[in-house]
Amino acid sequence: MPEQDTIQPTAALPVTDDLKAQALAMRPKPRRDRYIWGIYLFLVAISIVEVFSASSREITAGNILGPLLKHVVLLFGGFILMVVLQRVHYKRFYDWAWVIVVLCILAAVYTMFFGQRLNSAVRSFSFFGLFSVQPSELLKFSAALIIPRLLCKYRLEYRRGHEEEDLKYNQRLIYMVGGVVLVFSGLMINQGLTNAILLVLIALSAMLVGGVRWKAFFFITAVCAFLALGYGCYKMINAGQENDRTEMRIKRITDFLRDDKFLDKITDDNCQEQYSFIAQANGGILGVGPGNSRETARLPLAFSDYIYAIIIEDIGLLGGLFVLALYLCLLARAGRIAMKCKKAFPAMLVIGMAVFITFQALMHMAIVTGAAPVSGQPLPLISKGGSSVIVTSIALGVMLSVSRFAARKGIKQEVRDNLYSLSDNEMPDNPTQL
């Protein structure tokens, strides 16, 4: 059998003064992704209305707009970050990936020792008293950033064409991506099991887009499942220790599997779930109207972990489906952008960010509607919260950057990209176009 030739990268054009002048002369007008911006504006509008509707438990007689104004300030800060990041070339995220990862890990370690305890778990720390920071949100974002970088790096070292090199590539990839998932999951597991699940989904999605062989993909999936099973068995054996949440998690899963949970008497333990179901039933098909929610005064954390129940009560089942469609459209738009990317890194980057946002939204909706066991997950960009709003805005800014710089075609853009993007020797091709 003849030996296959390896794919040889094309040398990048040398950057000269004439080339710079030519690129500046041919620089196209800035192009914004209207679809992502449209989805963002819809989510922000819904967020402002529903946070105000769901914040009745925080409103005082002398400061009716206080909770809403604080949320609007965070949304505005996120908007500024999006505008800035969409003008940053996606190559910069490749360069800064490890720095961002190290900072996020340090934030998670700091929270483990000096964080604020909420519901028997240490989840966040205060940022100079302005807002709370949840490292789990930062870690999910950094995972969506570093895993595409690792996939690109080791794809270049071991190009396909020789079985021995392909085997080394898959082995190194398994070690690196598996190590990232293991370390990040270990840091997040005590802040919520759903966070670790989201992390695994982000990693697997990036590997699918990155063209990882099925054998390596299923091996990493099996390793993650084995580790999750082992961790669950260990926690069950050691259940009952101080600050241990294993018994609570087991109860939530058993309650989820019961068919008659809707008939339970409302107690302190199940009030969130029960009032959430009542709110959704009260909303019906068309809802009671924005601001007319009845259950927001009784539902704990209605403005964050259970805001989707208030959305359905206010604007009904149709409104809830519209919100669901917005997140699915964001994921579909990311897939469209990825198919237009010539290089693999921006394609995996935009998919990773979209999966991070969309899967978290789907998990929030599944928890609120009773399709998944009870857990704490904010609805991206809609729920009230400091770190969630900021990190989601940053992720959208990264998607806009990829759409602006990587999903454009033509000779003019190729000349300009030689000035700002990585050379062909530093970034592999997008496998979705091969």
Side-chain angles (χ1 to χ4, degrees):
M1 181 176 178
E3 185 179 359
Q4 297 180 357
D5 295 331
T6 58
I7 300 174
Q8 298 295 331
T10 304
L13 296 175
V15 179
T16 63
D17 293 339
D18 292 339
L19 184 60
K20 290 181 179 180
Q22 184 183 4
L24 292 174
M26 295 189 300
R27 177 176 292 179
K29 294 181 179 180
R31 192 184 70 167
R32 300 171 181 84
D33 194 299
R34 295 175 297 174
Y35 299 95
I36 295 179
W37 273 110
I39 293 170
Y40 167 77
L41 293 176
F42 270 117
L43 291 176
V44 167
I46 294 171
S47 176
I48 292 174
V49 173
E50 294 304 325
V51 165
F52 179 72
S53 176
S55 298
S56 61
R57 293 170 65 98
E58 290 190 316
I59 291 176
T60 61
N63 191 13
I64 297 177
L65 297 178
L68 177 63
L69 290 177
K70 186 176 180 180
H71 182 64
V72 170
V73 169
L74 288 172
L75 288 173
F76 181 74
F79 170 77
I80 297 298
L81 288 173
M82 284 182 59
V83 172
V84 171
L85 289 175
Q86 76 165 352
R87 304 181 66 87
V88 177
H89 200 285
Y90 65 85
K91 171 186 178 295
R92 304 305 175 194
F93 305 118
Y94 187 94
D95 298 333
W96 299 338
W98 279 113
V99 176
I100 295 173
V101 167
V102 170
L103 292 176
C104 293
I105 291 177
L106 291 176
V109 174
Y110 175 84
T111 303
M112 292 174 61
F113 295 97
F114 307 103
Q116 300 171 338
R117 183 172 296 278
L118 178 63
N119 294 333
S120 71
V122 179
R123 302 176 183 271
S124 62
F125 65 91
S126 178
F127 185 76
F128 298 106
L130 299 177
F131 57 87
S132 63
V133 177
Q134 290 189 338
S136 60
E137 300 294 324
L138 302 176
L139 288 173
K140 284 180 286 188
F141 168 79
S142 61
L145 187 62
I146 194 61
I147 292 175
R149 191 186 192 283
L150 291 174
L151 291 171
C152 286
K153 176 178 174 58
Y154 293 108
R155 225 170 134 194
L156 284 163
E157 289 187 4
Y158 306 105
R159 293 184 181 276
R160 296 184 177 182
H162 298 286
E163 292 184 0
E164 183 178 354
E165 292 182 350
D166 197 25
L167 179 62
K168 291 180 180 179
Y169 161 73
N170 284 286
Q171 289 177 342
R172 180 70 66 87
L173 180 65
I174 289 171
Y175 296 150
M176 296 302 297
V177 176
V180 169
V181 173
L182 182 61
V183 172
F184 281 27
S185 298
L187 292 171
M188 291 196 300
I189 195 71
N190 288 327
Q191 301 177 28
L193 186 60
T194 52
N195 290 320
I197 295 174
L198 281 171
L199 176 64
V200 173
L201 292 176
I202 292 170
L204 296 180
S205 300
M207 286 190 291
L208 283 176
V209 177
V212 175
R213 291 191 118 186
W214 287 109
K215 184 182 294 185
F217 176 83
F218 286 121
F219 181 81
I220 293 179
T221 304
V223 170
C224 292
F226 176 77
L227 292 175
L229 180 62
Y231 175 82
C233 294
Y234 168 79
K235 296 298 289 185
M236 290 180 66
I237 294 173
N238 295 275
Q241 297 180 0
E242 185 179 0
N243 297 327
D244 184 80
R245 309 179 72 210
T246 303
E247 293 182 355
M248 180 189 67
R249 290 171 176 168
I250 294 175
K251 184 178 184 305
R252 287 179 174 180
I253 294 175
T254 54
D255 288 343
F256 167 71
L257 297 175
R258 289 170 44 223
D259 295 332
D260 59 345
K261 60 183 176 181
F262 305 100
L263 303 177
D264 290 348
K265 183 180 180 180
I266 298 178
T267 64
D268 291 339
D269 294 332
N270 68 1
C271 62
Q272 286 183 316
E273 189 176 13
Q274 294 297 328
Y275 285 135
S276 170
F277 295 149
I278 294 173
Q280 295 170 71
N282 187 43
I285 301 297
L286 300 177
V288 298
N292 295 322
S293 171
R294 181 186 66 191
E295 301 303 322
T296 182
R298 298 193 294 177
L299 176 60
L301 299 179
F303 50 83
S304 57
D305 291 349
Y306 280 85
I307 196 169
Y308 192 63
I310 304 304
I311 291 175
I312 295 178
E313 185 179 15
D314 280 355
I315 55 180
L317 174 63
L318 295 180
L321 292 176
F322 176 72
V323 173
L324 170 62
L326 288 176
Y327 289 106
L328 295 179
C329 287
L330 181 66
L331 184 61
R333 181 58 183 168
R336 180 67 175 171
I337 294 172
M339 292 179 64
K340 292 182 179 180
C341 294
K342 182 179 179 181
K343 296 301 177 183
F345 176 71
M348 289 185 288
L349 184 63
V350 71
I351 287 294
M353 296 300 164
V355 166
F356 157 53
I357 296 173
T358 305
F359 280 25
Q360 180 167 319
L362 294 178
M363 190 163 291
H364 172 97
M365 297 175 189
I367 292 169
V368 170
T369 57
V374 175
S375 184
Q377 281 295 332
L379 189 59
L381 210 63
I382 293 182
S383 291
K384 182 182 177 183
S387 54
S388 177
V389 170
I390 297 299
V391 172
T392 303
S393 300
I394 292 174
L396 289 171
V398 173
M399 293 178 63
L400 289 169
S401 172
V402 173
S403 176
R404 183 186 181 100
F405 292 105
R408 298 167 64 179
K409 299 179 181 180
I411 284 293
K412 294 182 180 181
Q413 186 62 24
E414 289 182 6
V415 173
R416 185 166 179 260
D417 280 348
N418 275 282
L419 297 178
Y420 302 107
S421 65
L422 299 174
S423 68
D424 288 337
N425 291 330
E426 295 173 311
M427 187 174 290
D429 291 331
N430 181 5
T432 62
Q433 292 190 338
L434 301 181

